[in-house]
């Protein structure tokens, strides 16, 4: 990873961790799920309001490390007003990015989410970055039960 991308990664993670976007419970939520990473204790809930097949509003709450909170914050911005299929496609690209590295994903399809590529260099942090995404996936599938990233 270039030093410019590393700097941007650190800057974005810190910004979204300190001031997470959509850190709230969505009023009138139609889908919810709870996520938990037993390895580090990160836990969060994702609430969203669907309008047909479109995510009209999304929020998250919980506690966790900077990467977990930043990833959840970035996720909410990326999937709001997207269809279920578009959100699932973004989930797949982000999951590939953090598990297999930036060379496996076209960065132009990720926008701001490309900064999460730095996580792939730290395998122990992949579960932190992917927790919110797995929780979103569970909420979209209608599973309101807990998701664990074990």
């Amino acid at each position: 990873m270039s030093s410019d991308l590393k700097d941007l990664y650190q800057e974005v993670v810190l910004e979204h961790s300190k001031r997470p976007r959509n850190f709230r419970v969505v009023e009138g939520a139609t889908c919810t799920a709870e996520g938990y990473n037993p390895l580090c204790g990160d836990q969060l809930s994702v609430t969203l309001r669907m309008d047909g097949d479109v995510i009209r509003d999304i929020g998250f709450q919980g506690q966790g490390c900077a990467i977990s909170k930043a990833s959840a914050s970035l996720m909410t911005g990326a999937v709001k007003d997207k269809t279920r299929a578009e959100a699932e496609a973004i989930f797949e690209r982000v999951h590939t990015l953090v598990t297999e590295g930036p060379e496996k994903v076209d960065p132009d399809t990720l926008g701001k989410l490309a900064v999460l590529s730095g996580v792939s260099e730290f395998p122990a942090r992949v579960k932190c970055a992917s927790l919110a995404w797995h929780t979103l996936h569970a909420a979209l599938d209608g599973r309101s039960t807990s998701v664990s990233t074990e």
Side-chain angles (χ1 to χ4, degrees), residues 21-27 29 31-33 44-49 55-62 72-73 75-77 79-80 135-136:
R21 289 20 164 217
N22 302 303
F23 190 76
R24 59 188 169 76
V25 173
V26 171
E27 292 293 322
C31 302
T32 65
L44 59 84
S45 63
V46 172
T47 55
L48 51 123
R49 184 172 43 81
I55 300 169
R56 287 294 176 211
D57 200 4
I58 182 168
F60 78 99
Q61 284 197 310
S73 178
M75 176 196 73
T76 61
V79 301
K80 188 173 181 180
T135 308
L136 167 67

Short mmCIF file of all heavy atoms in Angstrom, two decimals, residues 21-27 29 31-33 44-49 55-62 72-73 75-77 79-80 135-136:
data_model
loop_
_atom_site.label_atom_id
_atom_site.label_comp_id
_atom_site.label_asym_id
_atom_site.label_seq_id
_atom_site.Cartn_x
_atom_site.Cartn_y
_atom_site.Cartn_z
N ARG A 21 -20.83 8.53 11.33
CA ARG A 21 -22.06 8.94 10.65
C ARG A 21 -23.15 7.92 10.95
O ARG A 21 -22.88 6.74 11.09
CB ARG A 21 -21.86 8.99 9.14
CG ARG A 21 -20.99 10.09 8.52
CD ARG A 21 -20.03 10.78 9.38
NE ARG A 21 -19.02 11.51 8.61
CZ ARG A 21 -17.77 11.61 8.96
NH1 ARG A 21 -17.32 11.02 10.05
NH2 ARG A 21 -16.92 12.31 8.24
N ASN A 22 -24.37 8.39 11.04
CA ASN A 22 -25.54 7.52 11.23
C ASN A 22 -25.45 6.66 12.49
O ASN A 22 -25.94 5.53 12.50
CB ASN A 22 -25.76 6.66 9.98
CG ASN A 22 -25.95 7.50 8.75
OD1 ASN A 22 -26.84 8.35 8.71
ND2 ASN A 22 -25.10 7.32 7.76
N PHE A 23 -24.84 7.19 13.53
CA PHE A 23 -24.72 6.47 14.81
C PHE A 23 -26.01 6.72 15.59
O PHE A 23 -26.11 7.67 16.37
CB PHE A 23 -23.50 6.96 15.58
CG PHE A 23 -23.17 6.12 16.79
CD1 PHE A 23 -22.57 4.88 16.64
CD2 PHE A 23 -23.47 6.57 18.06
CE1 PHE A 23 -22.27 4.09 17.74
CE2 PHE A 23 -23.16 5.79 19.18
CZ PHE A 23 -22.57 4.56 19.01
N ARG A 24 -27.02 5.89 15.31
CA ARG A 24 -28.34 6.08 15.90
C ARG A 24 -29.21 4.88 15.56
O ARG A 24 -28.86 4.08 14.70
CB ARG A 24 -29.00 7.34 15.35
CG ARG A 24 -29.16 7.30 13.83
CD ARG A 24 -29.65 8.61 13.25
NE ARG A 24 -29.54 8.62 11.81
CZ ARG A 24 -30.35 7.98 10.97
NH1 ARG A 24 -31.35 7.27 11.43
NH2 ARG A 24 -30.16 8.05 9.68
N VAL A 25 -30.33 4.78 16.25
CA VAL A 25 -31.33 3.78 15.92
C VAL A 25 -32.29 4.42 14.93
O VAL A 25 -32.72 5.56 15.12
CB VAL A 25 -32.10 3.33 17.19
CG1 VAL A 25 -33.26 2.42 16.82
CG2 VAL A 25 -31.16 2.64 18.16
N VAL A 26 -32.61 3.73 13.87
CA VAL A 26 -33.52 4.23 12.85
C VAL A 26 -34.96 4.10 13.35
O VAL A 26 -35.39 3.01 13.73
CB VAL A 26 -33.33 3.46 11.52
CG1 VAL A 26 -34.41 3.82 10.52
CG2 VAL A 26 -31.95 3.73 10.95
N GLU A 27 -35.68 5.22 13.34
CA GLU A 27 -37.10 5.20 13.69
C GLU A 27 -37.87 4.41 12.64
O GLU A 27 -37.63 4.58 11.44
CB GLU A 27 -37.64 6.63 13.75
CG GLU A 27 -37.09 7.47 14.89
CD GLU A 27 -37.54 6.98 16.25
OE1 GLU A 27 -38.71 6.55 16.38
OE2 GLU A 27 -36.71 7.01 17.17
N ALA A 29 -37.70 1.23 11.98
CA ALA A 29 -36.84 0.24 11.30
C ALA A 29 -37.66 -0.99 10.92
O ALA A 29 -38.49 -1.46 11.68
CB ALA A 29 -35.68 -0.16 12.20
N CYS A 31 -35.83 -3.69 9.49
CA CYS A 31 -34.85 -4.77 9.59
C CYS A 31 -33.82 -4.41 10.66
O CYS A 31 -33.38 -3.26 10.73
CB CYS A 31 -34.11 -4.97 8.27
SG CYS A 31 -35.14 -5.33 6.85
N THR A 32 -33.46 -5.38 11.47
CA THR A 32 -32.42 -5.18 12.48
C THR A 32 -31.59 -6.44 12.61
O THR A 32 -32.04 -7.54 12.28
CB THR A 32 -33.02 -4.86 13.87
OG1 THR A 32 -33.75 -6.00 14.33
CG2 THR A 32 -33.93 -3.65 13.84
N ALA A 33 -30.38 -6.26 13.08
CA ALA A 33 -29.52 -7.40 13.40
C ALA A 33 -28.48 -6.94 14.40
O ALA A 33 -28.13 -5.76 14.46
CB ALA A 33 -28.86 -7.98 12.16
N LEU A 44 -22.26 -4.43 17.85
CA LEU A 44 -23.06 -3.35 17.29
C LEU A 44 -24.39 -3.88 16.80
O LEU A 44 -24.57 -5.08 16.61
CB LEU A 44 -22.31 -2.62 16.17
CG LEU A 44 -21.84 -3.40 14.94
CD1 LEU A 44 -22.95 -3.53 13.91
CD2 LEU A 44 -20.67 -2.70 14.31
N SER A 45 -25.31 -2.96 16.64
CA SER A 45 -26.59 -3.31 16.04
C SER A 45 -26.77 -2.42 14.81
O SER A 45 -26.33 -1.28 14.79
CB SER A 45 -27.73 -3.09 17.04
OG SER A 45 -27.82 -1.73 17.40
N VAL A 46 -27.40 -2.99 13.81
CA VAL A 46 -27.71 -2.27 12.59
C VAL A 46 -29.22 -2.25 12.46
O VAL A 46 -29.87 -3.29 12.60
CB VAL A 46 -27.08 -2.96 11.35
CG1 VAL A 46 -27.56 -2.33 10.06
CG2 VAL A 46 -25.56 -2.89 11.42
N THR A 47 -29.76 -1.05 12.24
CA THR A 47 -31.19 -0.91 12.01
C THR A 47 -31.37 -0.22 10.67
O THR A 47 -30.62 0.69 10.33
CB THR A 47 -31.88 -0.08 13.12
OG1 THR A 47 -31.22 1.19 13.25
CG2 THR A 47 -31.84 -0.79 14.45
N LEU A 48 -32.35 -0.69 9.90
CA LEU A 48 -32.61 -0.03 8.63
C LEU A 48 -34.09 -0.04 8.31
O LEU A 48 -34.84 -0.86 8.80
CB LEU A 48 -31.78 -0.65 7.50
CG LEU A 48 -31.80 -2.15 7.30
CD1 LEU A 48 -32.26 -2.46 5.89
CD2 LEU A 48 -30.40 -2.67 7.48
N ARG A 49 -34.45 0.94 7.52
CA ARG A 49 -35.84 1.05 7.06
C ARG A 49 -35.83 0.87 5.56
O ARG A 49 -35.21 1.61 4.83
CB ARG A 49 -36.43 2.42 7.43
CG ARG A 49 -37.90 2.56 7.06
CD ARG A 49 -38.52 3.83 7.59
NE ARG A 49 -37.71 5.02 7.45
CZ ARG A 49 -37.61 5.74 6.33
NH1 ARG A 49 -38.26 5.38 5.25
NH2 ARG A 49 -36.86 6.82 6.30
N ILE A 55 -32.98 0.60 0.58
CA ILE A 55 -32.62 0.99 1.94
C ILE A 55 -32.79 2.51 2.03
O ILE A 55 -31.98 3.26 1.51
CB ILE A 55 -31.17 0.60 2.28
CG1 ILE A 55 -30.98 -0.90 2.16
CG2 ILE A 55 -30.78 1.11 3.66
CD1 ILE A 55 -29.53 -1.36 2.21
N ARG A 56 -33.86 2.95 2.67
CA ARG A 56 -34.14 4.39 2.76
C ARG A 56 -33.41 5.05 3.92
O ARG A 56 -33.07 6.22 3.86
CB ARG A 56 -35.64 4.66 2.87
CG ARG A 56 -36.37 4.44 1.61
CD ARG A 56 -35.93 5.44 0.55
NE ARG A 56 -36.60 5.13 -0.69
CZ ARG A 56 -36.08 5.34 -1.87
NH1 ARG A 56 -34.90 5.87 -2.00
NH2 ARG A 56 -36.76 5.01 -2.95
N ASP A 57 -33.19 4.29 5.00
CA ASP A 57 -32.47 4.84 6.15
C ASP A 57 -31.73 3.70 6.82
O ASP A 57 -32.19 2.56 6.82
CB ASP A 57 -33.45 5.51 7.12
CG ASP A 57 -32.76 6.50 8.05
OD1 ASP A 57 -31.55 6.74 7.91
OD2 ASP A 57 -33.45 7.04 8.94
N ILE A 58 -30.58 4.03 7.39
CA ILE A 58 -29.76 3.02 8.07
C ILE A 58 -28.98 3.69 9.18
O ILE A 58 -28.55 4.84 9.06
CB ILE A 58 -28.81 2.29 7.08
CG1 ILE A 58 -28.00 1.21 7.80
CG2 ILE A 58 -27.93 3.29 6.33
CD1 ILE A 58 -27.26 0.26 6.87
N GLY A 59 -28.86 2.97 10.27
CA GLY A 59 -28.08 3.46 11.40
C GLY A 59 -27.42 2.29 12.11
O GLY A 59 -27.76 1.14 11.89
N PHE A 60 -26.48 2.63 12.97
CA PHE A 60 -25.85 1.60 13.79
C PHE A 60 -25.57 2.18 15.16
O PHE A 60 -25.47 3.40 15.33
CB PHE A 60 -24.56 1.08 13.14
CG PHE A 60 -23.36 1.99 13.30
CD1 PHE A 60 -22.41 1.75 14.28
CD2 PHE A 60 -23.20 3.09 12.47
CE1 PHE A 60 -21.32 2.60 14.44
CE2 PHE A 60 -22.11 3.93 12.61
CZ PHE A 60 -21.16 3.69 13.60
N GLN A 61 -25.46 1.31 16.13
CA GLN A 61 -25.07 1.68 17.48
C GLN A 61 -24.23 0.56 18.04
O GLN A 61 -24.32 -0.58 17.57
CB GLN A 61 -26.28 1.91 18.37
CG GLN A 61 -26.97 3.22 18.11
CD GLN A 61 -27.89 3.59 19.26
OE1 GLN A 61 -28.70 2.78 19.69
NE2 GLN A 61 -27.74 4.79 19.76
N GLY A 62 -23.44 0.88 19.03
CA GLY A 62 -22.64 -0.14 19.68
C GLY A 62 -21.30 0.41 20.10
O GLY A 62 -21.07 1.61 20.09
N ALA A 72 -18.37 0.67 10.03
CA ALA A 72 -19.83 0.79 10.14
C ALA A 72 -20.31 2.15 9.65
O ALA A 72 -21.31 2.26 8.93
CB ALA A 72 -20.28 0.56 11.58
N SER A 73 -19.58 3.18 10.00
CA SER A 73 -19.93 4.53 9.57
C SER A 73 -19.85 4.66 8.05
O SER A 73 -20.78 5.17 7.40
CB SER A 73 -18.99 5.54 10.25
OG SER A 73 -19.25 6.86 9.82
N MET A 75 -19.99 2.23 5.93
CA MET A 75 -21.00 1.34 5.35
C MET A 75 -22.35 2.03 5.25
O MET A 75 -23.02 1.95 4.23
CB MET A 75 -21.13 0.07 6.19
CG MET A 75 -22.23 -0.87 5.72
SD MET A 75 -22.67 -2.10 6.97
CE MET A 75 -23.56 -1.10 8.17
N THR A 76 -22.77 2.70 6.33
CA THR A 76 -24.10 3.32 6.32
C THR A 76 -24.21 4.35 5.20
O THR A 76 -25.24 4.44 4.54
CB THR A 76 -24.46 3.96 7.67
OG1 THR A 76 -23.52 5.00 7.98
CG2 THR A 76 -24.51 2.92 8.78
N GLY A 77 -23.15 5.10 4.98
CA GLY A 77 -23.17 6.08 3.89
C GLY A 77 -23.18 5.44 2.52
O GLY A 77 -23.79 5.95 1.58
N VAL A 79 -24.45 2.44 1.60
CA VAL A 79 -25.62 1.64 1.18
C VAL A 79 -26.95 2.38 1.27
O VAL A 79 -27.96 1.88 0.77
CB VAL A 79 -25.70 0.31 1.96
CG1 VAL A 79 -24.44 -0.52 1.75
CG2 VAL A 79 -25.99 0.52 3.43
N LYS A 80 -26.95 3.55 1.89
CA LYS A 80 -28.21 4.30 1.99
C LYS A 80 -28.71 4.66 0.59
O LYS A 80 -27.94 5.08 -0.27
CB LYS A 80 -28.01 5.57 2.82
CG LYS A 80 -29.31 6.28 3.12
CD LYS A 80 -29.07 7.42 4.07
CE LYS A 80 -30.39 8.11 4.38
NZ LYS A 80 -30.18 9.23 5.30
N THR A 135 -23.30 -7.91 9.70
CA THR A 135 -24.53 -7.59 10.42
C THR A 135 -25.56 -7.00 9.46
O THR A 135 -26.75 -7.35 9.53
CB THR A 135 -24.23 -6.64 11.60
OG1 THR A 135 -23.17 -7.21 12.39
CG2 THR A 135 -25.45 -6.43 12.47
N LEU A 136 -25.13 -6.14 8.56
CA LEU A 136 -26.02 -5.62 7.52
C LEU A 136 -26.59 -6.77 6.69
O LEU A 136 -27.79 -6.83 6.43
CB LEU A 136 -25.28 -4.65 6.61
CG LEU A 136 -26.01 -4.26 5.31
CD1 LEU A 136 -27.26 -3.44 5.61
CD2 LEU A 136 -25.07 -3.51 4.38
#
